[in-house]
Amino acid sequence: MRKLLRFILILLCFSPAAWAQQGYKPSESNLKAREHFKDMKFGLFIHWGIYSTLGDGEWVMDTRKIPYNDYKRLADFFNPQAFNAKEWVDLAKRAGMKYITVTSRHHDGFSMFDTKQSDYNIVKATPYKRDPMKELAEECQKQGIELRFYYSLLDWGRADYAFKSPIVNGVPEKGDWNSYINFMKAQLTELITNYPGVKGIWFDGHWDRKNANWHYDEIYGLIHKLGPDIMIGNNHHLAPIPGEDFQAFEKDLPGNNKTGFSGDAKIGDLPLETCETMNGSWGFNINDRNYKSVKELVHYLVNAAGLDANFLLNVGPMPNGKIQPEFVDTLGKIGAWIDKNGETIYGTRGYLVKAQAWGTVTAKGKTVYAHVLNPVKDGNQIVIPDFKFKPKSVTAFNGGAKLKYKKDKSGLIVYIDQLPADEIDRIVKITY
Ligand code: FHN
């Protein structure tokens, strides 16, 4: 029995929650930011770093087994002369996106911003010498787009991180864990204080050291002290831990686990966000032509909204700073869809009913939108189960044709023969 108790105690001490920001009570401004976040629904994820020069994704150092000191030389060739922050923000806006989350530092440890904490950064180590994060932050402010920073906890190269060193009692055997934690805290302070209007920090890499003491109490505490409304998310693939403000999912709608990342990610009660790639890669990959169609990506957005989750759609810009034309084209088409149908997405909340074989449901106030995304097997009708309200009107969202309906114990049955054909999404608008 004593042995068991000791085992449970050890487990508790080494669970991430033990080092989280215990007792965290989000500020009023943070709660407001969360609601705003849920309203925005659609964001642009950007994976950009010196790895883009090799055109083989952001893990290229690992996949091609490039020794760190050789990989570092990529900085010498990274000179994105064609980078234009306005073009990126224009593109996000045109696509109907309301926020941008960009990699300030990925697992290769290269800082894409001007930092005093390491010379391995875009201003000091590349011929480019400019700070694209500053330009992006300023442009986002100008155009009213929120900016969030992706920040990797994992570092493949720093001596104090000591990649691959076994973890004993919460710290790596080699390296200098305190020094690494302090380094991150100093960088995060820079990112929050030197860049205007930063609204979120998106952590990644926890999974590299599941048993380490990441000092989230200090890290999350510091971020919330510097900016109480800054929303923290951590792609640890677990249920949320105290101090976090949104729950991130990767390549899966909340509740699914098709990619194997979300097995332990029990859905909590924070705002949700899921991210996905436009082809199969996060960082620029010159060989990846596995482009998702406009229809697939709009469906992802709509299905996410139906589950009350935001959709963070990724591009990996090229080493010259441009976003590849295939992505620009698809994003433009998604934007055209949103121009027409945005009312059924922005500011809505999901979960009115769970996803159905025919599609999903979003809702705003006393208006419900049924998105018929899939072929309807049982003839010309859809059923919205558990529909508790008395409808005032049931119409086609596009064109406004009145649709017949009836309520029975299965829910609200809507006859959709008058619903105009649409390749992507046939939307029924119901008010009550
Ligand atoms: O290893 C990273 C990967 O490069 C990418 O950044 C994604 C984005 O969600 N997250 C990690 C894998 O979980």
Side-chain angles (χ1 to χ4, degrees):
M1 187 66 182
R2 269 179 53 202
K3 261 192 181 160
L4 181 70
L5 276 175
R6 221 175 120 222
F7 178 68
I8 293 174
L9 206 69
I10 289 174
L11 268 187
L12 283 178
C13 287
F14 290 97
S15 88
W19 299 308
Q21 199 188 347
Q22 291 296 350
Y24 168 56
K25 281 212 180 64
S27 66
E28 277 302 311
S29 59
N30 191 288
L31 294 173
K32 242 172 107 184
R34 293 180 187 191
E35 285 312 299
H36 179 59
F37 179 70
K38 289 200 223 167
D39 287 345
M40 293 194 294
K41 285 288 175 299
F42 195 24
L44 179 67
F45 208 2
I46 303 177
H47 275 69
W48 197 39
I50 53 174
Y51 44 76
S52 62
T53 49
L54 295 180
D56 196 10
E58 76 291 355
W59 273 69
V60 61
M61 177 176 147
D62 177 270
T63 52
R64 291 220 209 141
K65 303 200 174 8
I66 306 172
Y68 182 60
N69 283 331
D70 292 346
Y71 178 88
K72 277 180 110 173
R73 289 156 60 186
L74 292 181
D76 294 342
F77 325 131
F78 190 64
N79 194 3
Q81 289 296 325
F83 167 72
N84 179 337
K86 183 172 178 323
E87 270 178 27
W88 285 15
V89 178
D90 283 346
L91 176 69
K93 283 192 98 165
R94 236 183 8 260
M97 291 154 157
K98 304 289 188 191
Y99 63 103
I100 292 178
T101 304
V102 61
T103 46
S104 60
R105 177 169 151 272
H106 205 264
H107 313 331
D108 63 357
F110 186 79
S111 298
M112 289 292 285
F113 62 103
D114 190 9
T115 173
K116 292 202 168 56
Q117 314 313 320
S118 151
D119 285 350
Y120 192 40
N121 76 61
I122 188 157
V123 178
K124 288 249 167 64
T126 74
Y128 188 54
K129 297 196 188 331
R130 274 161 49 187
D131 180 352
M133 297 299 123
K134 189 57 141 276
E135 293 174 31
L136 194 59
E138 285 168 358
E139 188 60 33
C140 282
Q141 273 221 316
K142 213 156 132 197
Q143 296 210 38
I145 282 261
E146 276 198 18
L147 183 68
R148 294 161 171 255
F149 283 126
Y150 170 111
Y151 190 82
S152 178
L153 296 156
L154 153 64
D155 191 302
W156 286 327
R158 283 182 65 94
D160 51 4
Y161 185 89
F163 182 51
K164 291 197 170 147
S165 170
I167 304 299
V168 180
N169 295 333
V171 286
E173 245 174 4
K174 295 195 188 120
D176 181 345
W177 196 232
N178 278 337
S179 146
Y180 185 67
I181 298 289
N182 287 333
F183 159 75
M184 289 200 293
K185 280 163 63 180
Q187 280 212 318
L188 287 160
T189 303
E190 289 177 334
L191 285 170
I192 290 164
T193 50
N194 297 349
Y195 295 81
V198 176
K199 293 286 187 232
I201 302 291
W202 205 103
F203 287 108
D204 201 358
H206 167 103
W207 33 263
D208 182 55
R209 289 193 163 159
K210 290 188 182 141
N211 299 323
N213 174 355
W214 285 102
H215 293 257
Y216 290 136
D217 47 350
E218 293 165 41
I219 292 177
Y220 291 179
L222 170 75
I223 295 171
H224 285 137
K225 195 171 115 213
L226 294 170
D229 61 337
I230 292 184
M231 289 180 62
I232 297 174
N234 191 332
N235 186 34
H236 42 45
H237 309 156
L238 304 167
I241 60 176
E244 293 168 3
D245 304 297
F246 68 99
Q247 184 173 6
F249 291 83
E250 178 173 344
K251 283 184 161 291
D252 255 322
L253 290 168
N256 287 354
N257 186 20
K258 290 186 185 150
T259 44
F261 290 135
S262 311
D264 300 320
K266 245 183 79 205
I267 301 176
D269 53 9
L270 298 179
L272 309 174
E273 181 193 68
T274 177
C275 57
E276 184 46 290
T277 48
M278 295 196 67
N279 47 7
S281 314
W282 298 103
F284 175 57
N285 186 329
I286 202 163
N287 263 324
D288 186 347
R289 277 169 287 279
N290 200 10
Y291 304 118
K292 297 185 182 70
S293 67
V294 175
K295 181 173 169 174
E296 274 175 280
L297 292 170
V298 170
H299 280 198
Y300 210 104
L301 171 68
V302 175
N303 279 317
L307 291 168
D308 227 12
N310 285 13
F311 182 31
L312 186 63
L313 177 57
N314 181 76
V315 296
M318 299 185 287
N320 65 355
K322 291 267 179 206
I323 293 172
Q324 63 189 88
E326 296 84 357
F327 293 170
V328 172
D329 182 57
T330 299
L331 289 173
K333 290 177 178 150
I334 296 176
W337 184 88
I338 291 201
D339 267 351
K340 283 208 301 198
N341 303 296
E343 175 194 317
T344 72
I345 300 293
Y346 298 128
T348 60
R349 296 292 180 267
Y351 278 139
L352 190 67
V353 292
K354 64 178 186 3
Q356 301 294 303
W358 49 261
T360 193
V361 180
T362 54
K364 185 163 33 186
K366 291 187 165 186
T367 305
V368 172
Y369 304 96
H371 298 260
V372 184
L373 302 170
N374 308 318
V376 176
K377 294 218 176 71
D378 42 0
N380 64 346
Q381 63 189 52
I382 57 165
V383 182
I384 305 177
D386 304 325
F387 195 88
K388 294 179 189 72
F389 318 101
K390 188 166 180 271
K392 268 196 192 145
S393 68
V394 179
T395 55
F397 177 72
N398 287 313
K402 280 193 175 168
L403 305 178
K404 288 198 185 122
Y405 64 92
K406 75 173 182 203
K407 267 187 88 175
D408 72 10
K409 60 177 186 320
S410 64
L412 180 71
I413 301 173
V414 181
Y415 297 93
I416 56 169
D417 21 8
Q418 298 304 311
L419 199 55
D422 190 297
E423 256 293 278
I424 295 184
D425 185 4
R426 304 166 71 198
I427 308 171
V428 179
K429 178 171 178 174
I430 304 152
T431 62
Y432 62 87

Coordinates of all heavy atoms in Angstrom, one line a residue, residues 45 47 51 57-59 103 106-107 150 152 154 156 202-205 207 235-237 248-251 261 275-277 282-283 312 314, ligand 1:
F45 N -1.5 30.1 -40.0 CA -0.4 29.6 -39.3 C 0.8 29.8 -40.3 O 0.6 29.5 -41.5 CB -0.6 28.1 -39.1 CG 0.1 27.5 -37.9 CD1 0.9 28.3 -37.0 CD2 -0.1 26.2 -37.5 CE1 1.5 27.8 -35.9 CE2 0.6 25.6 -36.4 CZ 1.3 26.4 -35.6
H47 N 4.9 28.7 -40.8 CA 6.1 28.1 -40.4 C 7.2 28.6 -41.3 O 7.2 28.2 -42.5 CB 6.0 26.5 -40.5 CG 5.4 25.9 -39.4 ND1 4.1 26.0 -39.0 CD2 6.0 25.0 -38.4 CE1 3.8 25.3 -37.9 NE2 4.9 24.7 -37.5
Y51 N 15.3 26.7 -42.4 CA 15.1 25.4 -43.0 C 14.5 25.6 -44.4 O 14.7 24.7 -45.3 CB 14.3 24.5 -42.1 CG 13.1 25.2 -41.5 CD1 11.9 25.5 -42.2 CD2 13.1 25.6 -40.2 CE1 10.8 26.1 -41.7 CE2 12.0 26.2 -39.6 CZ 10.9 26.5 -40.3 OH 9.8 27.2 -39.8
G57 N 10.9 20.9 -45.7 CA 10.2 20.9 -44.4 C 11.1 21.4 -43.2 O 12.3 21.5 -43.3
E58 N 10.4 21.7 -42.1 CA 11.0 22.3 -40.9 C 11.8 21.3 -40.1 O 12.6 21.7 -39.2 CB 10.0 23.1 -40.1 CG 9.1 22.2 -39.2 CD 8.1 21.4 -40.0 OE1 8.0 21.5 -41.2 OE2 7.4 20.5 -39.4
W59 N 11.6 20.0 -40.4 CA 12.4 19.0 -39.7 C 13.6 18.5 -40.4 O 14.2 17.5 -40.1 CB 11.5 17.7 -39.4 CG 10.6 17.9 -38.2 CD1 9.6 18.7 -37.9 CD2 10.8 17.1 -36.9 NE1 9.1 18.5 -36.7 CE2 9.8 17.5 -36.0 CE3 11.7 16.1 -36.6 CZ2 9.7 17.0 -34.8 CZ3 11.5 15.5 -35.3 CH2 10.6 16.0 -34.4
T103 N 5.9 31.3 -36.5 CA 7.0 30.7 -35.8 C 8.1 31.7 -35.5 O 8.7 32.2 -36.4 CB 7.7 29.5 -36.6 OG1 7.9 30.0 -37.9 CG2 6.8 28.3 -36.6
H106 N 11.6 27.8 -34.0 CA 11.2 26.4 -34.1 C 12.2 25.5 -33.5 O 13.1 26.0 -32.8 CB 10.9 26.0 -35.6 CG 9.9 24.9 -35.8 ND1 10.3 23.6 -35.9 CD2 8.6 24.9 -35.7 CE1 9.3 22.8 -36.0 NE2 8.2 23.6 -35.9
H107 N 12.1 24.2 -33.7 CA 12.9 23.2 -32.9 C 14.4 23.4 -33.3 O 15.3 23.0 -32.5 CB 12.5 21.8 -33.2 CG 11.1 21.5 -33.1 ND1 10.2 22.2 -32.3 CD2 10.3 20.5 -33.7 CE1 9.0 21.7 -32.4 NE2 9.0 20.7 -33.3
Y150 N 4.2 31.5 -32.3 CA 4.6 30.1 -32.0 C 6.0 30.1 -31.4 O 6.9 30.8 -31.8 CB 4.7 29.3 -33.4 CG 5.3 27.9 -33.3 CD1 4.5 26.8 -33.5 CD2 6.6 27.7 -33.1 CE1 5.0 25.5 -33.5 CE2 7.2 26.4 -33.1 CZ 6.4 25.3 -33.3 OH 6.9 24.1 -33.2
S152 N 8.9 27.3 -29.8 CA 9.3 25.9 -29.5 C 10.0 25.8 -28.2 O 10.9 26.5 -27.8 CB 10.3 25.4 -30.6 OG 10.7 24.1 -30.3
L154 N 11.2 22.9 -27.3 CA 12.3 21.9 -27.7 C 13.4 22.7 -28.5 O 13.0 23.5 -29.4 CB 11.7 20.8 -28.6 CG 12.5 20.1 -29.6 CD1 13.6 19.3 -29.0 CD2 11.6 19.1 -30.4
W156 N 17.0 21.7 -30.6 CA 17.9 20.6 -31.1 C 19.3 21.0 -30.8 O 20.2 20.1 -30.9 CB 17.7 20.3 -32.5 CG 16.4 19.6 -32.9 CD1 15.8 18.7 -32.1 CD2 15.6 19.7 -34.1 NE1 14.6 18.2 -32.8 CE2 14.5 18.8 -34.0 CE3 15.7 20.5 -35.2 CZ2 13.6 18.7 -35.0 CZ3 14.8 20.4 -36.3 CH2 13.7 19.5 -36.1
W202 N 2.0 30.3 -28.6 CA 1.6 28.9 -29.0 C 2.8 28.1 -28.8 O 3.8 28.1 -29.6 CB 1.2 29.0 -30.5 CG 0.3 28.0 -31.1 CD1 -1.0 28.2 -31.4 CD2 0.6 26.7 -31.6 NE1 -1.5 27.1 -32.0 CE2 -0.5 26.1 -32.1 CE3 1.8 25.9 -31.5 CZ2 -0.6 24.8 -32.7 CZ3 1.7 24.6 -32.1 CH2 0.5 24.1 -32.6
F203 N 2.8 27.3 -27.7 CA 4.0 26.5 -27.4 C 3.9 25.2 -28.1 O 2.8 24.6 -28.4 CB 4.1 26.2 -25.9 CG 4.5 27.4 -25.1 CD1 3.6 28.1 -24.3 CD2 5.8 27.9 -25.1 CE1 4.0 29.2 -23.5 CE2 6.2 29.0 -24.4 CZ 5.3 29.7 -23.6
D204 N 5.1 24.6 -28.4 CA 5.2 23.3 -29.1 C 6.5 22.6 -28.6 O 7.5 23.3 -28.3 CB 5.2 23.5 -30.6 CG 4.8 22.3 -31.3 OD1 4.5 21.3 -30.7 OD2 4.7 22.4 -32.6
G205 N 6.5 21.3 -28.6 CA 7.7 20.6 -28.3 C 7.8 20.0 -26.9 O 8.7 19.2 -26.6
W207 N 6.3 17.5 -25.9 CA 6.3 16.1 -26.0 C 7.7 15.5 -26.1 O 7.9 14.3 -26.0 CB 5.4 15.6 -27.2 CG 5.5 16.7 -28.3 CD1 4.5 17.6 -28.6 CD2 6.5 16.9 -29.3 NE1 4.9 18.4 -29.6 CE2 6.1 18.0 -30.1 CE3 7.7 16.2 -29.6 CZ2 6.9 18.5 -31.1 CZ3 8.5 16.7 -30.6 CH2 8.1 17.8 -31.4
N235 N 0.8 22.9 -27.5 CA 0.5 21.8 -28.3 C 1.2 20.5 -27.7 O 1.9 19.8 -28.4 CB 1.1 22.0 -29.7 CG 0.7 21.0 -30.7 OD1 -0.4 20.4 -30.7 ND2 1.6 20.7 -31.7
H236 N 0.8 20.3 -26.4 CA 1.5 19.1 -25.8 C 0.7 17.8 -26.0 O 1.1 16.8 -25.5 CB 1.6 19.4 -24.3 CG 0.4 20.1 -23.6 ND1 -0.9 19.7 -23.8 CD2 0.4 21.1 -22.7 CE1 -1.7 20.4 -23.1 NE2 -1.0 21.3 -22.5
H237 N -0.4 17.9 -26.7 CA -1.2 16.8 -27.1 C -1.9 16.1 -25.8 O -2.2 14.9 -25.8 CB -0.4 15.7 -27.8 CG 0.4 16.2 -29.0 ND1 1.5 15.6 -29.5 CD2 0.2 17.3 -29.8 CE1 2.0 16.3 -30.5 NE2 1.2 17.3 -30.8
A248 N -5.0 23.5 -28.0 CA -4.5 23.3 -29.4 C -4.6 21.8 -29.8 O -4.2 20.9 -29.1 CB -3.1 23.8 -29.6
F249 N -5.2 21.6 -31.0 CA -5.2 20.3 -31.6 C -4.4 20.3 -32.9 O -4.4 21.3 -33.6 CB -6.6 19.8 -31.9 CG -7.4 19.5 -30.7 CD1 -8.0 20.5 -30.0 CD2 -7.5 18.2 -30.2 CE1 -8.7 20.3 -28.8 CE2 -8.2 18.0 -29.0 CZ -8.8 19.0 -28.3
E250 N -3.7 19.2 -33.2 CA -2.9 19.2 -34.5 C -3.5 18.2 -35.4 O -3.6 17.0 -35.1 CB -1.5 18.9 -34.1 CG -0.6 18.8 -35.3 CD 0.9 18.6 -34.9 OE1 1.3 18.8 -33.7 OE2 1.7 18.2 -35.7
K251 N -3.8 18.6 -36.6 CA -4.2 17.8 -37.7 C -5.4 16.8 -37.4 O -5.4 15.7 -37.9 CB -3.0 16.9 -38.2 CG -2.0 17.7 -39.0 CD -0.9 16.8 -39.5 CE -0.2 17.4 -40.7 NZ -1.0 17.5 -42.0
F261 N -1.9 12.1 -32.7 CA -1.4 13.1 -31.8 C -2.3 13.3 -30.6 O -1.9 13.9 -29.6 CB -1.2 14.4 -32.5 CG -0.1 14.5 -33.5 CD1 -0.3 15.0 -34.7 CD2 1.2 13.9 -33.1 CE1 0.8 15.1 -35.6 CE2 2.2 14.0 -34.1 CZ 2.0 14.5 -35.3
C275 N -5.1 22.9 -36.0 CA -4.3 23.4 -37.1 C -4.1 22.3 -38.2 O -4.1 21.1 -37.8 CB -2.9 23.9 -36.6 SG -2.0 22.7 -35.7
E276 N -3.9 22.7 -39.4 CA -3.7 21.7 -40.5 C -2.9 22.4 -41.6 O -2.8 23.6 -41.7 CB -5.1 21.3 -41.0 CG -5.2 20.2 -42.1 CD -4.3 19.0 -41.9 OE1 -3.1 19.1 -42.0 OE2 -4.8 17.9 -41.6
T277 N -2.2 21.5 -42.4 CA -1.4 22.0 -43.5 C -2.2 22.1 -44.8 O -3.1 21.4 -45.0 CB -0.2 21.1 -43.7 OG1 -0.7 19.7 -43.8 CG2 0.8 21.1 -42.5
W282 N 4.6 21.5 -43.0 CA 4.4 22.8 -42.3 C 5.4 23.8 -42.9 O 5.0 24.8 -43.3 CB 4.7 22.6 -40.8 CG 3.8 21.6 -40.1 CD1 4.0 20.3 -39.7 CD2 2.4 21.9 -39.7 NE1 2.9 19.8 -39.1 CE2 1.9 20.7 -39.1 CE3 1.6 23.0 -39.7 CZ2 0.6 20.6 -38.6 CZ3 0.3 22.9 -39.2 CH2 -0.1 21.8 -38.6
G283 N 6.7 23.4 -42.9 CA 7.7 24.3 -43.5 C 7.7 24.1 -45.0 O 7.2 23.0 -45.5
L312 N -6.7 26.9 -37.8 CA -5.5 27.6 -38.0 C -4.8 26.9 -39.2 O -4.3 25.8 -39.1 CB -4.6 27.5 -36.8 CG -3.3 28.3 -36.8 CD1 -3.6 29.8 -36.9 CD2 -2.5 28.0 -35.5
N314 N -2.1 26.4 -42.2 CA -0.7 26.7 -42.3 C -0.2 26.9 -43.7 O -0.6 26.2 -44.7 CB 0.1 25.5 -41.7 CG 1.6 25.8 -41.8 OD1 2.1 26.5 -41.0 ND2 2.3 25.1 -42.7
Ligands
FHN1 O1 7.2 19.2 -34.7 C1 6.2 20.1 -34.9 C2 6.0 20.4 -36.3 O2 7.1 20.8 -36.9 C3 4.9 21.5 -36.4 O3 5.4 22.7 -35.9 C4 3.7 21.1 -35.8 C5 2.6 22.1 -35.8 O4 1.5 21.7 -35.1 N1 3.9 20.7 -34.4 C6 5.0 19.8 -34.1 C7 4.5 18.4 -34.1 O5 3.6 18.2 -33.0

